[in-house]
Amino acid sequence: MKLIRYGNVGEEKPGLEFEGKWYDMSHLVREYDEDFFAAGGLDKLKGEFDPKLAKEVDQNTRLGAPVHRPGKIICIGLNYRKHAEESGMDVPKEPVVFFKATSSIVGPNDAIEIPKNSKKTDWEVELAVVIGKRANYISEEEAMDYVAGYCLHNDVSEREFQIERGGQWVKGKSCDTFAPLGPYLVTKDEIKDPNNLNLWLTVNGKKVQDGNTNDFIFNVQHVISYLSQFMSLMPGDVISTGTPEGVGFGFKPPVYLKGGDVVELGIEGLGSSRQEVKNYEG
């Protein structure tokens, strides 16, 4: 299944894409949130959905992020070998873990706003994993049992805030609009192998990232198991698994986003998104 949330900001309703059409699911589901996943909502939705009984949704309607208010966005840094090389950093011996504020989440085609005083706003196409049930101290062999599905994520990053201002990376990752998510949450049964997916990103039509998750240092199963040793992974939590080479600060000289730029990105099987870049307006 491909889950969507559609409507104006703050007024999104749960929906579903089926055979190229969008359908409203608000007669069956209140929201795609922690309670939904924890209560086995995916199985219920699969069993009860009937396109003949559902209202079709105009595909010109805005899409919101496919998960409503996840408890956490957990990110893995430097998780592609070639990206670690372009960053001039050693290949990690254990996953590099940081958080991204959930207030940064926007819809897949909403604008990216360059923050006040930003000089180095950058892009990162990433595979995001959505957790389906609570996970604690699980093995890699068990990990996929805890996955609800996957979605596309642009882990927008302000490199000066992240790297040059001291402290943790989170402040360079958490500005408003820095987490366009979606268009869909694609359930895990539709993705044969999350560790072998093509992913790409363009800026103003020029392809700058063109990779595959087979370049992961730590694959999806390892990341889920690893994180579960340190914290409870809750239903609806989002794990963003890192970005391939081709980010702006890896260019020589570096290239960063500016007002008027257009970013487009996609992952095999998970759809694509488009964000226009605008300057902070106060």
Side-chain angles (χ1 to χ4, degrees):
M1 293 188 295
K2 292 182 174 67
L3 277 57
I4 61 172
R5 295 175 62 250
Y6 70 94
N8 295 330
V9 176
E11 300 176 352
E12 294 92 346
K13 295 181 179 180
L16 197 67
E17 181 182 279
F18 179 73
E19 295 184 348
K21 296 181 179 180
W22 293 359
Y23 294 95
D24 175 66
M25 290 291 102
S26 57
H27 62 297
L28 297 177
V29 176
R30 182 185 60 81
E31 256 297 5
Y32 297 142
D33 57 9
E34 180 178 338
D35 290 343
F36 169 80
F37 294 108
L42 285 176
D43 289 338
K44 179 176 183 291
L45 188 62
K46 186 175 182 179
E48 296 183 2
F49 169 63
D50 183 345
K52 296 178 182 178
L53 301 178
K55 182 181 74 173
E56 189 173 345
V57 176
D58 184 345
Q59 294 195 16
N60 291 315
T61 307
R62 172 189 173 271
L63 288 178
V67 182
H68 181 57
R69 294 183 179 174
K72 299 187 283 294
I73 306 175
I74 314 163
C75 299
I76 307 299
L78 302 174
N79 197 27
Y80 287 72
R81 290 172 179 84
K82 293 177 183 177
H83 176 53
E85 291 170 6
E86 75 172 347
S87 302
M89 300 181 186
D90 294 335
V91 172
K93 295 180 180 179
E94 293 193 32
V96 175
V97 180
F98 62 93
F99 287 86
K100 193 174 181 93
T102 57
S103 56
S104 64
I105 294 175
V106 291
N109 303 308
D110 290 345
I112 294 169
E113 183 178 76
I114 295 177
K116 184 178 181 180
N117 301 319
S118 168
K119 299 174 183 176
K120 300 180 179 180
T121 295
D122 203 348
W123 57 82
E124 294 189 2
V125 58
E126 303 204 4
L127 169 68
V129 180
V130 180
I131 296 298
K133 59 182 179 180
R134 183 171 182 153
N136 296 94
Y137 305 111
I138 63 171
S139 68
E140 290 187 36
E141 291 72 25
E142 297 173 290
M144 297 307 295
D145 293 338
Y146 292 82
V147 173
Y150 309 95
C151 54
L152 172 64
H153 176 217
N154 187 357
D155 178 21
V156 185
S157 308
E158 212 298 342
R159 301 302 185 188
E160 183 187 26
F161 299 174
Q162 176 191 357
I163 299 169
E164 301 174 33
R165 299 283 295 273
Q168 299 182 352
W169 287 4
V170 62
K171 65 179 178 289
K173 298 283 188 171
S174 296
C175 303
D176 290 351
T177 76
F178 269 27
L181 203 62
Y184 321 112
L185 187 162
V186 180
T187 52
K188 65 180 178 182
D189 57 294
E190 294 200 12
I191 302 299
K192 182 178 179 181
D193 182 4
N195 300 306
N196 187 22
L197 296 175
N198 294 317
L199 64 173
W200 56 270
L201 183 145
T202 68
V203 179
N204 300 326
K206 178 182 178 182
K207 185 171 283 187
V208 291
Q209 290 190 277
D210 189 9
N212 189 290
T213 58
N214 62 20
D215 192 43
F216 276 150
I217 297 167
F218 305 105
N219 68 18
V220 168
Q221 292 92 326
H222 182 95
V223 165
I224 294 171
S225 172
Y226 181 85
L227 292 173
S228 79
Q229 310 307 310
F230 304 101
M231 67 192 80
S232 294
L233 300 177
M234 301 300 291
D237 280 357
V238 174
I239 302 171
S240 201
T241 57
T243 197
E245 65 176 331
V247 298
F249 86 94
F251 281 74
K252 296 181 180 179
V255 178
Y256 296 111
L257 295 172
K258 61 185 185 302
D261 285 347
V262 176
V263 179
E264 297 180 84
L265 58 151
I267 299 180
E268 178 183 355
L270 302 182
S272 61
S273 63
R274 179 183 185 275
Q275 297 105 39
E276 295 181 8
V277 180
K278 65 179 184 179
N279 294 314
Y280 175 78
E281 298 177 351

